[in-house]
């Protein structure tokens, strides 16, 4: 028997519906529906059901489940960001709006078994809901009959994404009852990732280690270090964004082969970590992985480092030693920053790649080598070829299977997952208890532009763990204490740096007098002529300040990307 909702619940729903309705814009003449300034679509449920059925038949149940769960996760993250921008710092209101929004969209009817409990400062979370009238469960039951596993994949992903983005730390929802399994109704429980079993299948869609089933032990040789094998397992590769999963998909496709792989992307995106994962899940996993940073080798020593040297070949060559190719024999050679190689070394590298043999400096003996080449570049090699700085024939030899790793600012959904990994790592390393990440710090991490990508994020979390007190949460002053500037925060809230010893403290008289504000506003209104004109001037100024980057301009104005583009189009900016 379906429970009825109390008068209090109905009143609360009416208020939430009114709030959502204020931010819903239907413009059929323009062919658009916008909710919280993000483009929405009304589509037939049976079409999505048909797509789901076809994917299950073609890809299998588990692959389809991962796909729909990640799709729901991305939807939850987006809704969270847009809703939070509208309600400001009222996290409780935003948390309540998420379930109601999903009801309005027609997925489920939410009924709390117990009131949702959460603390954004400590990271504590507890959620327990009945999902009634679940579209996914009913569709799965109709198409495939009674299932042995839960079927509300997209809803589970949505709940994970929404609450993770709100909390700033991974929150995992597990479906413990499902109509598709023959239960009377669906039921889900949400809790922080730390409280979940490490083998919980609900984590599979978040971590590349879990869904590639890689071996956990392999020999890794970093640079010139030929120390013992590493048993640390795969590098930390976590993510649920479309960009991350596109890279993971291409990685899995090429891993079983011996094809040359070229990783491209900005500095700090994790090219070496992905290369180690590629080696670990490939057929050479039990053989050496040798990494060399081409930019760190002096030009006069490049050939000796790569191909080896015989005793007496040049001054200082007191003993014969193998090069990186020989050390990587049977395994993988990772050539980082390949564009830094001098032209003469590029030619010799090309010959080795083509012939599969090396000749040490000062030697006439030819040695056969069997290595898989994985290269990485943080600049466009095609542009380097055009500039005459990189051999075209070498580029085509390396560009067999290119994989572009997107920057962190284009996959912000992954930030809470990465923060959690790094926070646990450094808390354990430094023997310090960290309660979580404050709400203010979470918003700052999401707003920051990340010029140093994942490497910068890891360094920032390490710094924060060092600075935070025992048992405290990481806050903005712990993380953004290295001179970073948050582009979308008011100047008064940008983290100050510590004064230098020879600096005098700033006096109150140094600040701009407050009575200049009316005169500035008068001048602005005189120039713009109207409120619409002021909006145009602000958008133009923001675009100039950010070099035409619309996303950065939107953040500078405190708007979502969709809000900014809508106003930009409306005003003809």
């Amino acid at each position: 028997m379906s429970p009825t909702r109390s008068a209090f619940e109905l009143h609360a729903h009416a208020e939430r519906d009114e709030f959502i309705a204020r931010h819903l814009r239907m413009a059929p003449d323009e062919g658009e529906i916008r909710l919280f300034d993000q483009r929405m679509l009304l589509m037939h449920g049976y079409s999505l059901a048909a797509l789901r059925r076809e994917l299950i038949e073609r890809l299998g149940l588990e692959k389809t489940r991962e796909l729909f769960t990640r799709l729901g996760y991305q939807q939850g993250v987006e809704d969270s960001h847009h809703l939070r921008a509208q309600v400001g710092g009222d996290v409780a209101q935003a948390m309540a709006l998420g379930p109601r929004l999903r009801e309005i969209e027609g997925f489920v009817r939410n009924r709390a078994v117990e009131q949702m409990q959460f603390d954004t400062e400590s990271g504590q979370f507890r959620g327990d809901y009945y999902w009634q009238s679940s579209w996914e469960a009913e569709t799965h039951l109709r198409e495939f009959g009674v299932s042995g596993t839960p079927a509300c994949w997209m809803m589970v992903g949505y709940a994970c994404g929404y609450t993770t983005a709100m909390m700033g730390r991974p929150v995992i929802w597990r479906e413990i009852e499902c109509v598709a399994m023959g239960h009377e109704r669906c039921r889900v429980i949400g809790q922080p990732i730390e409280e979940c079993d490490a083998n919980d299948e609900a984590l599979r869609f978040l971590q590349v280690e879990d869904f590639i089933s890689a071996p956990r032990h392999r020999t890794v040789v970093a640079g010139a270090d030929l120390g013992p094998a590493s048993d640390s397992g795969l590098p930390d590769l976590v993510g649920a964004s479309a960009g991350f999963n596109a890279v993971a998909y291409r990685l899995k496709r090429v891993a079983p082969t011996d094809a040359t792989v070229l990783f491209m992307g900005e500095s700090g995106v994790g090219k070496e970590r992905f290369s180690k994962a590629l080696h670990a899940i490939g057929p050479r996993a039990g053989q050496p992985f040798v990494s060399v940073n081409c930019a760190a080798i002096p030009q006069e020593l490049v050939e000796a480092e790569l191909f080896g040297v015989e005793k007496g070949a040049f001054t200082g060559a007191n003993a014969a030693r193998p090069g990186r190719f020989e050390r990587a024999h049977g395994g993988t050679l990772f050539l980082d920053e390949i564009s830094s190689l001098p032209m003469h070394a590029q030619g010799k590298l090309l010959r080795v790649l083509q012939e599969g043999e090396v000749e040490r400096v000062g030697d006439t003996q030819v040695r056969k080598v069997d290595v898989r080449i994985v290269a990485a570049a943080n600049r466009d090699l095609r542009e380097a070829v055009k500039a005459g700085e990189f051999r075209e024939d070498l580029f085509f030899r390396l560009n067999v299977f290119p994989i572009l790793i997107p920057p962190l600012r284009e996959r912000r959904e992954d930030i809470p997952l990465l923060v959690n990994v790094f926070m646990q790592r450094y808390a354990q390393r430094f023997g310090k208890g960290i309660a979580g990440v404050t709400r203010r710090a979470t918003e700052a991490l999401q707003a920051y532009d990340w010029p140093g990508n994942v490497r910068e994020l890891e360094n920032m979390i390490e710094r924060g763990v060092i600075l935070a007190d025992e048992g405290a949460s990481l806050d903005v002053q712990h993380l953004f204490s290295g001179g970073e500037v948050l582009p979308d925060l008011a100047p008064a809230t940008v983290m100050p740096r510590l004064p230098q010893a020879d600096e005098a403290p700033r006096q109150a008289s140094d600040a701009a007098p407050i009575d200049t504000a009316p005169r500035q506003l008068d001048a602005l209104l005189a120039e713009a002529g109207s409120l619409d004109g002021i909006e145009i001037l602000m958008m133009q100024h923001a675009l100039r300040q950010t070099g035409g980057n619309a996303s950065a301009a939107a953040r500078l104005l405190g708007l979502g990307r969709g809000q900014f583009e809508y106003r930009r189009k409306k005003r003809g900016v």
Side-chain angles (χ1 to χ4, degrees):
M1 181 174 171
S2 177
T4 59
R5 282 173 166 162
S6 67
F8 175 78
E9 288 180 303
L10 293 174
H11 177 70
H13 282 316
E15 288 186 336
R16 292 166 193 157
D17 292 350
E18 182 182 353
F19 177 84
I20 293 172
R22 290 201 304 269
H23 294 87
L24 175 64
R25 176 179 173 269
M26 303 189 72
D29 292 340
E30 299 176 19
E32 287 187 0
I33 302 173
R34 290 193 173 272
L35 180 59
F36 299 108
D37 280 328
Q38 57 180 333
R39 184 80 176 264
M40 306 294 290
L41 301 174
L42 278 177
M43 62 182 301
H44 298 91
Y46 72 82
S47 298
L48 187 57
L51 174 62
R52 178 180 166 122
R53 181 182 66 248
E54 185 171 346
L55 287 174
I56 290 174
E57 292 171 351
R58 289 174 178 266
L59 302 179
L61 190 73
E62 286 305 308
K63 293 294 182 185
T64 307
R65 177 182 181 178
E66 291 171 10
L67 179 65
F68 271 75
T69 305
R70 288 195 292 269
L71 179 61
Y73 180 92
Q74 291 154 16
Q75 292 174 351
V77 170
E78 282 299 305
D79 277 356
S80 173
H81 290 165
H82 287 276
L83 271 170
R84 194 172 57 215
Q86 299 298 330
V87 301
D90 192 344
V91 179
Q93 183 185 5
M95 280 289 197
L97 281 167
R100 185 55 176 162
L101 185 58
R102 214 52 172 173
E103 289 180 329
I104 291 174
E105 292 172 347
F107 277 85
V108 295
R109 178 192 177 192
N110 287 286
R111 177 173 173 257
V113 178
E114 60 182 50
Q115 192 68 25
M116 191 188 305
Q117 300 173 6
F118 58 90
D119 184 345
T120 56
E121 301 302 305
S122 66
Q124 295 178 354
F125 185 93
R126 172 71 181 178
D128 190 346
Y129 276 84
Y130 287 134
W131 281 347
Q132 298 173 319
S133 302
S134 168
W135 171 83
E136 287 185 280
E138 292 174 358
T139 295
H140 196 91
L141 186 63
R142 183 174 62 252
E143 296 286 347
F144 299 100
V146 177
S147 172
T149 57
C152 299
W153 308 327
M154 194 180 298
M155 271 302 304
V156 166
Y158 184 92
C160 291
Y162 192 89
T163 49
T164 292
M166 282 292 176
M167 295 292 295
R169 297 181 69 181
V171 174
I172 302 300
W173 290 80
R174 291 176 296 111
E175 192 172 10
I176 59 175
E177 297 179 20
C178 185
V179 168
M181 298 174 66
H183 295 119
E184 181 182 356
R185 56 200 168 191
C186 305
R187 184 177 180 180
V188 289
I189 292 177
Q191 57 190 155
I193 194 171
E194 296 85 0
E195 299 178 17
C196 297
D197 186 337
N199 298 318
D200 196 325
E201 61 179 12
L203 306 181
R204 187 178 306 167
F205 78 102
L206 292 178
Q207 297 179 316
V208 69
E209 295 100 319
D210 291 326
F211 63 75
I212 57 179
S213 301
R216 308 303 293 179
H217 302 278
R218 75 236 187 258
T219 300
V220 177
V221 182
D225 179 17
L226 292 175
S230 168
D231 291 335
S232 59
L234 284 174
D236 297 309
L237 294 175
V238 296
S241 65
F244 173 85
N245 284 290
V247 174
Y249 170 78
R250 292 181 66 83
L251 200 71
K252 290 185 291 180
R253 296 289 291 185
V254 74
T257 74
D258 271 341
T260 299
V261 176
L262 176 61
F263 285 105
M264 298 175 293
E266 297 178 6
S267 178
V269 294
K271 295 186 285 292
E272 183 164 7
R273 288 185 175 181
F274 277 104
S275 70
K276 289 178 179 178
L278 174 67
H279 173 77
I281 63 177
R284 298 173 182 256
Q287 301 300 318
F289 175 91
V290 177
S291 173
V292 54
N293 186 335
C294 299
I297 306 175
Q299 290 196 12
E300 62 273 14
L301 297 179
V302 169
E303 292 180 43
E305 286 295 324
L306 291 180
F307 312 127
V309 61
E310 281 297 302
K311 181 178 179 180
F314 50 78
T315 304
N318 299 321
R321 58 184 174 86
R324 305 298 176 93
F325 271 90
E326 289 183 67
R327 300 178 198 179
H329 182 71
T332 301
L333 178 62
F334 176 60
L335 299 172
D336 197 8
E337 298 194 49
I338 188 74
S339 60
S340 300
L341 278 180
M343 292 297 284
H344 70 276
Q346 292 180 28
K348 295 191 176 183
L349 174 61
L350 177 63
R351 181 184 179 280
V352 173
L353 298 183
Q354 291 174 335
E355 304 298 330
E357 56 187 30
V358 297
E359 187 176 317
R360 293 180 181 177
V361 176
D363 194 12
T364 57
Q365 180 183 352
V366 174
R367 294 173 170 82
K368 285 288 185 181
V369 290
D370 173 25
V371 297
R372 179 180 193 168
I373 297 297
V374 178
N378 57 14
R379 59 177 298 194
D380 190 336
L381 290 184
R382 292 185 185 275
E383 292 300 319
V385 169
K386 292 179 182 178
E389 299 171 354
F390 200 81
R391 291 182 61 119
E392 185 177 39
D393 46 4
L394 178 57
F395 168 70
F396 288 128
R397 181 65 183 80
L398 294 172
N399 197 44
V400 177
F401 198 90
I403 298 179
L404 177 63
I405 304 175
L408 186 58
R409 61 182 172 275
E410 294 180 7
R411 49 189 183 101
R412 296 180 187 273
E413 305 97 307
D414 298 337
I415 291 176
L417 308 178
L418 290 165
V419 166
N420 191 69
V421 168
F422 297 145
M423 187 171 61
Q424 289 187 358
R425 173 190 299 169
Y426 291 109
Q428 182 178 11
R429 178 178 299 179
F430 302 138
K432 181 180 289 187
I434 299 295
V437 184
T438 68
R439 184 77 222 151
R440 184 165 171 249
T442 297
E443 293 174 351
L445 291 170
Q446 284 291 337
Y448 189 54
D449 209 37
W450 300 111
N453 291 293
V454 178
R455 184 185 296 123
E456 183 181 15
L457 174 61
E458 182 175 2
N459 294 343
M460 190 178 288
I461 298 301
E462 181 179 7
R463 176 200 307 158
V465 172
I466 293 171
L467 292 174
D469 294 330
E470 172 68 29
S473 294
L474 300 183
D475 207 344
V476 176
Q477 69 268 20
H478 305 134
L479 301 173
F480 293 87
S481 57
E484 298 87 357
V485 177
L486 304 180
D488 63 339
L489 296 182
T493 63
V494 175
M495 286 310 301
R497 61 184 177 86
L498 294 175
Q500 302 301 312
D502 58 348
E503 279 186 339
R506 184 180 179 187
Q507 302 298 321
S509 58
D510 295 335
I514 59 173
D515 60 359
T516 61
R519 293 198 297 273
Q520 293 170 348
L521 291 174
D522 289 341
L524 179 62
L525 187 56
E527 180 182 354
S530 66
L531 186 59
D532 290 347
I534 292 175
E535 186 175 352
I536 292 172
L537 288 176
M538 291 179 68
M539 286 190 287
Q540 291 173 336
H541 176 71
L543 286 167
R544 283 195 298 270
Q545 290 290 101
T546 58
N549 186 317
S551 295
R555 290 194 295 273
L556 192 62
L557 296 173
L559 299 173
R561 174 65 185 267
Q563 294 173 301
F564 181 80
E565 289 295 353
Y566 170 70
R567 286 170 169 79
R568 185 180 183 182
K569 180 179 178 181
K570 182 178 179 181
R571 304 299 182 204
V573 177

